[in-house]
Every structure is written in structure tokens, then in C-alpha cells.
Amino acid sequence: MTTGVEGHVSPRLLIVGPPGAGKGTQATAIAETFGIPAISTGDIFRANVKNETELGLKVKAILDAGDYVPDSLTNELISDRLAQPDAADGFLLDGYPRTMQQVEFLDAHLSEQGQSLNGVVQLVADRDEIVERLRKRAAEQGRSDDTEDAIRHRQDVYLRETAPLIETYRERGLLLEVDGLGGIDEVAGRIDSALGARGFRPTASAS
């Protein structure tokens, strides 16, 4: 593990969880607690497109054509973001890596900096409870196209895509399984406890 002053463990984290588990909300909370940036691929795409960077123009052309952004470009965007000063003392990745090729790229990129991921927070939630939660939310928001079948399909895609990643990080001893059901503060407390047990300490300003 990469440490800083007084044995402080620099959090280089990944958060994963099924759609509807509140991953984005918890990612923001973790970032604030530890004083690190929450890095979302979606946010990076939008920021680069908005600022019309060279990478952003490439992304826009691909998305405008209705295609998926390839691993190679996603990797390039992530490595560029991780090189920013605010990520020097740690970061939380949300939505990346999604494929084993991305895992390998991230491993190599961090290794070049003498770093590695040192924690993977997995929000675990009962599938039927999440489906019911999302079904109710869709009804409240009048989203008739968000049917139970569509919701379950997204859960299936998540499980299929992330299962190999989760198993890889489990084998490395990095996985922190946290019950993702309950109130926002309740889940946040479980995450803080799990990270605290691994030696991660909140920043002075957040604690």
C-alpha cells in the first residue's frame, strides 16, 4: 500500500454496485470523507466534450455516431485524469474499470507510478429489493418505459460485466463487501467502518 506521512494510507479506491444501489451518492460521500476526487467516466466524458479538448472531440464524434467509446480511448481519458494534481494523494474510481482489459491497463498505469489500487468497495444488495425500489421510482417519475423487464435486464448486464472484475479483486484481497440496502447515512457508516478497518483514515478537514 502506498502511504504518506505518519503512516497514512493514500486511498486509491474503486466502487462497484448494481444500478439502483446508490453508488453515485456513496461515491460522493467517500470522496468528501477522505478528501479525494471521485472520478466517474461519465463525468470525464462530459467534461472533455464540454471543454472541447482533443480527447473530448474524439469522444463526441464516437457518441454522435451512436457507437460505444472504445477501451483505448477510455483508458487514455482515465490516465489523463489520474495525472491531475488533485489525484496525487488518492482517488475513487466510479464506472471504471468495466472490462478486464481496462483492469490490466489500470494496473500497468498505476504500477508505473509505483502505485496500485488498495481497496474495492462493493455495494451488495438483494436483486428483488433493488428492482422493486427502481420500479417504484420509475412510477413516481412517470417513466413508463422503465419496466421491470428493463430494470432486470440492466441488473443482468451489471452482473455479467462486473463478475470477472469482482472475482479478480476478491482474489487480490482488495474486496470490501458492504450491505447497500438501507438509508444513505446507514450505508455510508458501513462503508466508513469497512475502510477504517483497512487502515484508511478520513482527512483532518473531514473528520
Side-chain angles (χ1 to χ4, degrees):
M1 268 186 201
T2 307
T3 59
V5 294
E6 298 177 356
H8 166 71
V9 179
S10 298
R12 293 188 168 83
L13 308 170
L14 165 65
I15 185 169
V16 296
K23 183 164 58 75
T25 300
Q26 295 303 333
T28 299
I30 293 170
E32 290 176 354
T33 296
F34 294 97
I36 56 177
I39 298 175
S40 157
T41 46
D43 290 345
I44 293 174
F45 289 165
R46 284 186 287 274
N48 276 273
V49 170
K50 180 181 177 182
N51 295 326
E52 296 186 339
T53 66
E54 184 179 346
L55 291 174
L57 293 173
K58 290 181 185 177
V59 170
K60 186 175 187 303
I62 291 167
L63 295 178
D64 285 350
D67 295 326
Y68 289 107
V69 178
D71 278 355
S72 57
L73 184 51
T74 303
N75 290 338
E76 197 174 347
L77 286 161
I78 285 289
S79 60
D80 179 70
R81 180 63 184 86
L82 291 178
Q84 302 302 314
D86 65 338
D89 293 324
F91 53 79
L92 173 68
L93 291 170
D94 174 7
Y96 178 96
R98 285 182 183 272
T99 67
M100 287 308 299
Q101 192 271 345
Q102 290 178 357
V103 169
E104 291 164 6
F105 175 87
L106 182 63
D107 286 346
H109 176 78
L110 292 176
S111 179
E112 288 175 4
Q113 322 300 320
Q115 303 169 357
S116 62
L117 279 185
N118 49 21
V120 177
V121 176
Q122 181 191 10
L123 294 181
V124 181
D126 179 77
R127 174 183 166 124
D128 289 336
E129 288 199 42
I130 283 197
V131 169
E132 183 62 18
R133 178 193 293 180
L134 293 175
R135 197 182 61 76
K136 284 181 179 176
R137 185 188 301 173
E140 290 166 1
Q141 296 175 352
R143 293 163 57 183
S144 57
D145 59 326
D146 220 357
T147 63
E148 181 170 336
D149 283 347
I151 292 168
R152 288 188 179 277
H153 174 69
R154 286 199 295 274
Q155 300 289 322
D156 289 340
V157 170
Y158 163 77
L159 289 171
R160 186 171 65 247
E161 287 186 348
T162 60
L165 279 65
I166 289 170
E167 195 52 41
T168 294
Y169 289 126
R170 188 194 308 279
E171 290 171 359
R172 295 182 187 181
L174 297 178
L175 203 64
L176 301 169
E177 293 181 279
V178 176
D179 181 0
L181 292 176
I184 291 173
D185 291 342
E186 188 181 358
V187 176
R190 293 177 195 144
I191 292 173
D192 288 348
S193 295
L195 290 170
R198 283 290 181 93
F200 297 106
R201 297 288 176 260
T203 58
S205 59
S207 56

